[in-house]
Amino acid sequence: MVERIGLVVHQGREMAVRTAGTVRAWADKHGIGCTDIDVWKDHEGRRGGMAELHHAGEPDLVVTLGGDGTFLRGARIAAKNNAAVLGVDLGKVGFLTEVACKDVEAALEAVHHGGATIEERMTLTMRASRALEIPEGIESLLRYGHGPTLPPPAVRPESTEGNGWGLALDVTALNDVVLEKLARDHQVALGVYVAGRLLASYSADAVIVATPTGSTAYSFAAGGPILSPNTNAIVFTPVAPHMTFNRSVIAAPDEPIALRVLPHSGQAAVSIDGQLRGVLDPGDWIGVYGSARPLRLVRLRPTDFYGRLRDRFRLTDAPATGIDGESDAFFLPSDSPVPPDLAHLRLPPAESPAR
């Protein structure tokens, strides 16, 4: 049962604002507390994940009304206390949002009465050689037109200084951690370490450390591979590197990826799920690794990731295959049970054809 809801609303969309009223009315009818979270005005600061979580009264369900960006705002808070996240879609095909606005009450009922399933997604966290800071003036330059940025991540209590392990930071990334150049005419120079060993030193516009969920975001735009969200892995992708080796590297979830800013590099901006969170100087480093705490996504039906992939990227078949017509469903006959040797496999939802 749901005991408290945290509500994240895209205030720039009328449909999201109207649907938020529906969520509040449903919560009031069921005697459930409902608090708006990650709300700000241009002249106000924003809270870090743990501070926002405490301010919202420790919700056990976070409902986001918007697109994937709004979902990420809710995810950074929900993951702090293992809350589930229900993403309400505003009409665009997204990889993270789950239900249409018109179905939000039915979705809330399903979650409240145990009719939904929970899908876990890998997240990233990080350590750093020092606490992250955003120098004065840089925030307004990089965030122009996008409202106030989040504060630098707080240092977690388990940190100890001076022992070579760095400071543990209060970071939860569902998509990616990005280190990118600040000066247009000066690439960032980085030593990239995988599982404690130097892989290579890169001179690049940026480097991306992504989850399988984030493999369809910035990493994909930079030429990285698409990973099923059901895998556990870390994807490292360089952006415009000045070197022959420009490929992505896929590491195991327990293999940390460390990025050290080299002595003759310019400064590097640290972004977490698209939000500027700090600036590194030459000699600084961050270590990115799989978090022990996954994000819990509410699902009302089996997820057709590859169908969404086809729709999201408008995948079309090769012209040479046009003569063959529409492909039939595969491994999905409707008139017989699944054979025993296929019963352990993840198959498409029965109501939609395989693609």
Side-chain angles (χ1 to χ4, degrees):
M1 293 181 63
V2 178
E3 296 183 0
R4 188 169 188 85
I5 294 174
L7 190 59
V8 185
V9 184
H10 190 308
Q11 296 293 338
R13 297 188 182 182
E14 182 181 351
M15 179 64 75
V17 175
R18 288 205 308 268
T19 306
T22 302
V23 175
R24 295 187 191 100
W26 182 90
D28 185 64
K29 176 182 176 181
H30 290 77
I32 296 171
C34 183
T35 303
D36 284 44
I37 56 179
D38 202 16
V39 178
W40 73 88
K41 297 180 181 179
D42 287 342
H43 62 281
E44 296 177 347
R46 297 171 68 185
R47 300 182 182 91
M50 289 301 298
E52 191 69 54
L53 179 71
H54 297 327
H55 175 75
E58 309 281 344
D60 57 333
L61 175 67
V62 173
V63 179
T64 70
L65 301 169
D68 285 353
T70 307
F71 186 96
L72 290 172
R73 288 169 52 196
R76 74 177 180 90
I77 300 166
K80 305 300 182 185
N81 74 334
N82 212 33
V85 187
L86 173 65
V88 180
D89 184 29
L90 297 185
K92 295 183 178 180
V93 177
F95 283 111
L96 299 174
T97 51
E98 172 70 8
V99 301
C101 287
K102 63 182 178 63
D103 299 323
V104 67
E105 288 183 285
L108 290 169
E109 289 288 343
V111 176
H112 190 50
H113 297 291
T117 60
I118 300 297
E119 176 182 309
E120 292 191 343
R121 294 287 183 93
M122 177 184 176
T123 63
L124 301 173
T125 189
M126 58 185 281
R127 285 178 172 255
S129 54
R130 62 176 175 85
L132 297 186
E133 299 175 337
I134 302 177
E136 186 176 355
I138 288 182
E139 174 186 341
S140 59
L141 175 65
L142 296 183
R143 295 288 302 170
Y144 179 77
H146 293 280
T149 190
L150 289 165
V155 176
R156 300 203 307 263
E158 62 265 34
S159 290
T160 55
E161 295 190 61
N163 58 5
W165 295 103
L167 299 176
L169 302 181
D170 181 25
V171 166
T172 300
L174 178 61
N175 270 355
D176 49 43
V177 175
V178 178
L179 211 55
E180 56 191 324
K181 67 179 185 180
L182 281 176
R184 182 179 180 183
D185 61 346
H186 202 320
Q187 288 196 313
V188 64
L190 303 170
V192 177
Y193 301 75
V194 179
R197 297 293 184 182
L198 179 67
L199 173 68
S201 294
Y202 288 78
S203 177
D205 284 356
V207 295
I208 306 164
V209 183
T211 64
T213 298
S215 70
T216 55
Y218 188 13
S219 178
F220 172 79
I226 291 177
L227 273 64
S228 165
N230 299 307
T231 60
N232 280 325
I234 302 175
V235 184
F236 165 75
T237 301
V239 180
H242 280 203
M243 59 190 300
T244 302
F245 186 72
N246 61 357
R247 306 298 186 186
S248 296
V249 174
I250 300 175
D254 59 353
E255 294 177 330
I257 295 181
L259 311 171
R260 184 188 298 276
V261 184
L262 298 179
H264 293 93
S265 173
Q267 290 181 307
V270 181
S271 295
I272 300 167
D273 281 347
Q275 299 283 324
L276 172 68
R277 303 301 297 276
V279 173
L280 299 184
D281 295 321
D284 293 336
W285 60 263
I286 60 173
V288 184
Y289 50 97
S291 172
R293 180 170 290 175
L295 182 71
R296 303 172 67 241
L297 275 65
V298 174
R299 294 304 192 199
L300 304 181
R301 60 190 65 83
T303 302
D304 184 10
F305 170 73
Y306 297 101
R308 289 191 181 190
L309 185 68
R310 185 177 174 95
D311 292 338
R312 179 70 175 264
F313 294 119
R314 297 182 175 89
L315 299 183
T316 57
D317 303 321
T321 68
I323 192 173
D324 296 313
E326 185 74 18
S327 297
D328 294 331
F330 190 76
F331 271 174
L332 196 64
S334 58
D335 56 353
S336 62
V338 177
D341 65 312
L342 303 181
H344 65 290
L345 300 181
R346 192 183 300 270
L347 298 173
E351 66 271 17
S352 63
R355 310 194 207 189

